[in-house]
Each structure stands twice: as structure tokens, then as C-alpha cells.
Amino acid sequence: LVATSIRRTLEPDHEVVVVTRGSEALDQLISGERFDLIITDLMMPDLTGMDLHAEISRVAPEQVKNMIFLTGGAFTQNARAFLEKVPNPCMDKPFDPQNLRALIRQRLL
């Protein structure tokens, strides 16, 4: 549902590729695809956003700066420490579509 909401919010102005698992995103990057931005949930069933960040750092390090994290706010101490360490933005869910669009515009400048 979150991915559908993001797609609807961004598609009028951006090309949006949606995958529902971190491993799918990683597979696309391993195959050579590159993205202006990568919006990922911090907590996912197969790879956490932290795991995805680590794997992208390994296979496509130039893409790490393009990551934006989403979170429902209930996360672990490790996740808090991770977010304090990395410079990537994090947006709380539920997010305001206007705020998401503004963040996207800012990151694409």
C-alpha cells in the first residue's frame, strides 16, 4: 500500500519503478540499473533498509547517496543509531504527499 501511495504521489512528475522487496531492488542494482533516488522502508521482511544500504554500498556505492528512508517510527536501537550515522534523509510514515514531493525536489537539485 505504501508503494502504491508513493507511485500515485510521484508519477505525474517522475518515472517510478516499484519493487516490494529489498532483494528485488538489490537485484536491479546488481544488474546495472541506476536510479536518481531510492526510497526504501527502514523495516522490510527480507532485507532491512540498513541491510539494503550496506549491500548497495558494496555493489553500487555511488547509489548510496540517493537513498531516502521511510519509517513507521517504531524501530530498534540499531535502526536509531544507523539513522544518526548516515546522512540520508528519513521520512516518518504516514507521510504528507506534499512533504514527500518537496523532499524529492530538494534531493534532485
Side-chain angles (χ1 to χ4, degrees), residues 52-109:
L52 184 59
H53 183 275
E55 288 301 309
I56 290 174
S57 295
R58 187 178 61 77
V59 300
E62 76 285 357
Q63 291 281 277
V64 170
K65 69 185 184 315
N66 300 340
M67 295 181 77
I68 296 173
F69 296 99
L70 300 177
T71 181
F75 46 84
T76 66
Q77 189 167 5
N78 284 346
R80 263 187 222 97
F82 170 80
L83 290 174
E84 290 174 7
K85 181 178 78 171
V86 298
N88 305 76
C90 182
M91 181 170 278
D92 291 328
K93 296 184 297 188
F95 57 86
D96 179 302
Q98 292 295 85
N99 290 342
L100 180 60
R101 283 191 209 85
L103 177 59
I104 299 297
R105 277 191 304 273
Q106 175 191 21
R107 298 297 292 185
L108 291 176
L109 291 179

Side-chain angles (χ1 to χ4, degrees), residues 6-18 28 33-39 104 108:
I6 291 171
R7 174 183 277 157
R8 288 181 182 154
T9 298
L10 300 178
E11 269 191 339
D13 300 312
H14 305 280
E15 180 182 345
V16 179
V17 176
V18 174
Q28 288 185 345
E33 290 190 59
R34 295 298 180 259
F35 301 94
D36 294 330
L37 293 173
I38 300 168
I39 301 171
I104 299 297
L108 291 176

